[in-house]
Amino acid sequence: MIDVSPLRRSYTMSGLDEKDLTPTPIPLFERWLKDMIDSKLFDPNGMVVSTVDETGQPYSRMVLLKNYDAESLVFFTNLGSRKAQQLAKNPKICLLFPWYYLERQVMFIGTAEKLSVPAVMKYFHSRPRDSQIAAWASHQSSRISARSILEGKFLELKQKFKDGEVPLPSFWGGYKVKFHQVEFWQGRENRMHDRFIYDLQADGSWTINRLAP
């Protein structure tokens, strides 16, 4: 076994002080997102989506953020997927942006609700054509015996849809995650990290508190 216990590095790139904070979380998130985009690192909009099944077992997977506003974050997925089945029974969700190379993390806690069909259709038809066809080919999270089955289905559908627009699958959709808590984490030297948590209040305002690392 590989001994991972000594693997560590000191986080010295930056800090996060009270003066850096914004009254609401999205402007600060947007500033950090821009830093990540400007860094030219892979998948700046990649986020870990965590859901829970009916037994309380958590599941996490990477998904791409595709839109956001002051109150919510948006992603798209197969509605037959494991995450979608879990959200149908328990819409509580956690989204984590693991920006390791900038020594940062941002976590959103909230509730997921399905997007309207027109909103889903608009995004679906903005995707590359092969990605649209792949959505038809994959019954996400179902068990398959070989990759060749998936590839064969893709080629079959590519031929079927070779003329005209690829229709929106009835089993493909998106979610808007309305968040009520956001945590910003900035790595610091000697594990004395900076953490600030935003909590949404009933009147629509946000309270901000520093958390011990």
Side-chain angles (χ1 to χ4, degrees), residues 78-80 114 117 136 167-173:
N78 187 304
L79 298 178
K114 283 185 183 179
V117 171
W136 276 95
L168 173 70
S170 61
F171 52 81
W172 199 87

Side-chain angles (χ1 to χ4, degrees), residues 145-163:
S145 59
R147 181 176 176 82
S148 58
I149 295 173
L150 186 63
E151 292 172 340
K153 188 66 175 177
F154 177 81
L155 293 174
E156 175 189 326
L157 289 164
K158 195 166 186 175
Q159 178 63 26
K160 178 179 178 180
F161 297 135
K162 66 182 177 65
D163 298 318

Side-chain angles (χ1 to χ4, degrees), residues 9 11 27 32 40 83 91 116 129 151 157 167 172 186 190:
R9 62 189 175 94
Y11 301 130
W32 279 18
K40 307 300 183 184
K83 75 179 83 61
S116 67
R129 186 177 179 84
E151 292 172 340
L157 289 164
W172 199 87
Q186 174 70 64
N190 301 317

Side-chain angles (χ1 to χ4, degrees), residues 1 34 52 99 103 108 124 169 177 195:
M1 293 178 64
K34 185 178 186 304
V52 178
W99 293 329
E103 301 173 355
F108 290 82
F124 182 78
V177 176
R195 294 174 63 197

Side-chain angles (χ1 to χ4, degrees), residues 13 57 69 71 86 94 98 103 142 165-166 169-170 189-191 200:
M13 291 181 66
Q57 174 63 53
D69 57 28
E71 301 176 344
Q86 291 169 357
C94 175
E103 301 173 355
S142 63
E165 187 175 80
V166 178
S170 61
E189 196 170 10
N190 301 317
R191 299 302 185 262
L200 182 62

Side-chain angles (χ1 to χ4, degrees), residues 7-15 100 102-105 185-193:
L7 298 179
R8 64 175 58 85
R9 62 189 175 94
S10 186
Y11 301 130
T12 59
M13 291 181 66
S14 186
Y100 306 117
L102 297 186
E103 301 173 355
R104 292 171 173 172
Q105 299 178 58
W185 182 100
Q186 174 70 64
R188 294 294 296 270
E189 196 170 10
N190 301 317
R191 299 302 185 262
M192 298 285 283
H193 311 307

